[in-house]
Every structure is written in structure tokens, then in C-alpha cells.
Amino acid sequence: EDILPFITREERVWIEDVFSKYHGFPTIEELWKLMDEAWQELSCDQFVMDERIARFYTHPVWLLNGLFIEQDEVSMEHRRAFSAWVVNQKPQRVADYGGGFGSLARMIGEISPDTIVEVIEPHSHPAAIALAQKTRNIRYEDQPSGNYDILIATDVFEHIPDPLKLAAQIATHLRPKGYFLIANCFAPVILCHLPQTFHFRWTWGIALSAMGLIPGEVVAYGKSFRREGKLSLEAARLIEGKSERLYPINRRLPGIIAKPFNKFLF
């Protein structure tokens, strides 16, 4: 009820139609199907990042996604694991890049009231901003600024045509020895997962390590990376090139073989 004033009539009608069709919230697979339908309705192109993509990420399906997360036990279990890990590091300043509806940021802010938590989200919804404003140490920003003790990017880089470039740009805002908590799905689950990123499925951590972000703990379905010294996008690009060349082989290997195979090669 608190967010109803911030939801447009168009959004409300669209979500009500979905609830009617699925007799409540859709399953995660049904939600992915709705995302694909929105992508196709807007004639989005996986290789052309234009105004259609911006319209896609402001489609009501993303508001539904935010609402879905907060009632889905698996999604919330992941966010509890992420927030517990973040709070255990005792950070003073945290940025959740591409933090969407702000569920994770609010969890961190509520259990760590002395931590400043910024949601960096170019497509922020007024309802999400209104919810964040209820917790004094959370705010939405368009871009990162200054230095952070921890950066977070969950389910972000598979949506970006040049994920290494973005990772390097974001990481410049990470203090030395700070942590970058990242979770990805470099796989064709939905149409907005860009195929030009899929080669990173087994080599993303290797590329980040070359950049100067050293892999650490596994956290839920993600992993922490620690910044060590100067960042080198150029070194990461060398891994990227090799990863792209190996992808025709990697894409055919089962994970149990692909993981050690790539560690050996790189």
C-alpha cells in the first residue's frame, strides 16, 4: 500500500493482468517469459544499445520483478547471504550498482545502520526510491562517486555489451583492499542476457584477476573480489580475447570439465 501512489495506472493495469493470468505472482520461468515478451514487443536488438533498450528497462515487467523478488524465498535467501557477508566486512560505504528495486540495499541498510548504502541505478522506479527513503542511510544515485569499501553488482554484467569496460569503470571507485561482490549469469536464460558476454561463463573471474580484482569467497551464487593495486583493463582484455577464441570449444564442454580446462589454459 505504501508504494501504490508511486505506481502509474498503466503499470497497475499491466501487473493486474499478469496476476489474473497466473492467479497471483508468476513463477521465475514465467517472469522470464514476460521479460522476453517485453523485449520482443519493443523490437530490442541484442547488438544495438539504443532507446529501445532504455524503454525495455523501464517496462512494468521490471517493477513486477522487484515485487517478485521480495516474496520469492530463493531470491530472498540469496539476498540474505549477500547482506550478511557485506555486513560482516564492517563497511562504512557501500554501492549496489544496478541495484534495481533496492531490496538488497534495504536489507544491508536495516541491519547495518551506520553503513551508507547507495543504489546506483539509471532506471530507478519512484516506488523503489520511496521505499529506500524510509531507511535513513540508503539513497539512490545515478552514478558512483568517491570511494567505497564494497561494491556490489548482481545480475548486471550479462546485460552489458562490454562488461569488462564497465567493471573497470566501477572498480575505480573501490578503495585499495576493498571488495567487489559480483554475481552473473552469462547464459541465454532470457533475451536481455547479451550473447556477446556468454564466452565469460568460465573465464570472467580469470579476466577480473588479470585486471587486479583477486577472487575470494563464494557468496551464494556470486563471488567476492578484492582490489589489489592499480587496475589494468588492458591485461583483462588479453584474457577476453583468448576467452572469445576458446568459446566455440567451451560452449560444448560440461561445467565439470570446462572449469579445470580453463584454469589450466589460463
Side-chain angles (χ1 to χ4, degrees):
E1 292 184 3
D2 292 341
I3 65 172
L4 286 178
F6 303 96
I7 298 176
T8 67
R9 182 180 182 279
E10 178 186 29
E11 290 170 330
R12 201 158 51 242
V13 169
W14 188 88
I15 290 174
E16 286 171 355
D17 285 346
V18 170
F19 285 168
S20 176
K21 178 179 180 179
Y22 294 107
H23 307 289
F25 276 100
T27 64
I28 185 62
E29 291 80 11
E30 291 165 341
L31 181 59
W32 290 339
K33 182 181 177 182
L34 290 167
M35 289 177 177
D36 283 351
E37 289 174 357
W39 181 275
Q40 292 166 333
E41 286 169 9
L42 293 167
S43 301
C44 293
D45 187 323
Q46 293 174 318
F47 296 94
V48 180
M49 300 295 108
D50 58 13
E51 71 282 351
R52 292 171 295 179
I53 303 299
R55 284 160 51 204
F56 171 70
Y57 285 111
T58 56
H59 188 280
V61 73
W62 291 101
L63 173 59
L64 177 63
N65 182 66
L67 298 172
F68 171 86
I69 284 170
E70 301 203 352
Q71 61 80 49
D72 180 67
E73 182 54 34
V74 174
S75 299
M76 292 305 291
E77 182 180 343
H78 290 153
R79 280 155 183 78
R80 284 192 288 270
F82 290 145
S83 59
W85 182 88
V86 168
V87 171
N88 194 50
Q89 312 310 312
K90 298 180 172 56
Q92 295 182 338
R93 193 169 184 236
V94 173
D96 185 4
Y97 193 94
F101 202 61
S103 305
L104 177 58
R106 280 183 271 117
M107 291 177 73
I108 296 169
E110 287 165 6
I111 60 178
S112 184
D114 294 327
T115 301
I116 300 299
V117 185
E118 296 178 15
V119 184
I120 313 299
E121 176 54 63
H123 307 291
S124 55
H125 194 284
I129 295 173
L131 287 173
Q133 288 174 341
K134 293 186 173 185
T135 306
R136 65 172 181 81
N137 53 328
I138 301 175
R139 59 177 176 264
Y140 270 76
E141 300 289 353
D142 292 332
Q143 297 292 335
S145 62
N147 290 326
Y148 300 90
D149 301 297
I150 295 177
L151 294 171
I152 305 168
T154 59
D155 303 308
V156 169
F157 292 116
E158 58 268 49
H159 299 260
I160 304 298
D162 189 350
L164 273 186
K165 180 179 179 181
L166 180 62
Q169 289 173 342
I170 300 171
T172 62
H173 293 279
L174 188 63
R175 68 164 177 79
K177 305 294 184 181
Y179 289 100
F180 204 155
L181 179 59
I182 300 175
N184 298 313
C185 179
F186 291 121
V189 177
I190 45 180
L191 291 173
C192 56
H193 287 188
L194 304 182
Q196 53 268 51
T197 71
F198 295 165
H199 69 91
F200 277 127
R201 182 175 182 185
W202 304 112
T203 58
W204 179 246
I206 300 168
L208 292 187
S209 183
M211 184 185 292
L213 298 170
I214 308 305
E217 295 178 74
V218 172
V219 185
Y221 67 100
K223 180 174 281 192
S224 67
F225 295 82
R226 189 181 68 252
R227 179 177 180 179
E228 292 290 345
K230 185 178 179 181
L231 298 168
S232 175
L233 178 58
E234 293 75 15
R237 289 290 193 206
L238 295 176
I239 301 298
E240 179 182 43
K242 192 171 183 179
S243 176
E244 289 172 336
R245 292 191 295 274
L246 284 170
Y247 184 55
I249 298 172
N250 273 334
R251 68 188 301 180
R252 291 175 171 82
L253 295 176
I256 194 170
I257 297 174
K259 195 170 183 179
F261 172 72
N262 281 278
K263 280 188 175 181
F264 173 75
L265 288 178
F266 286 90

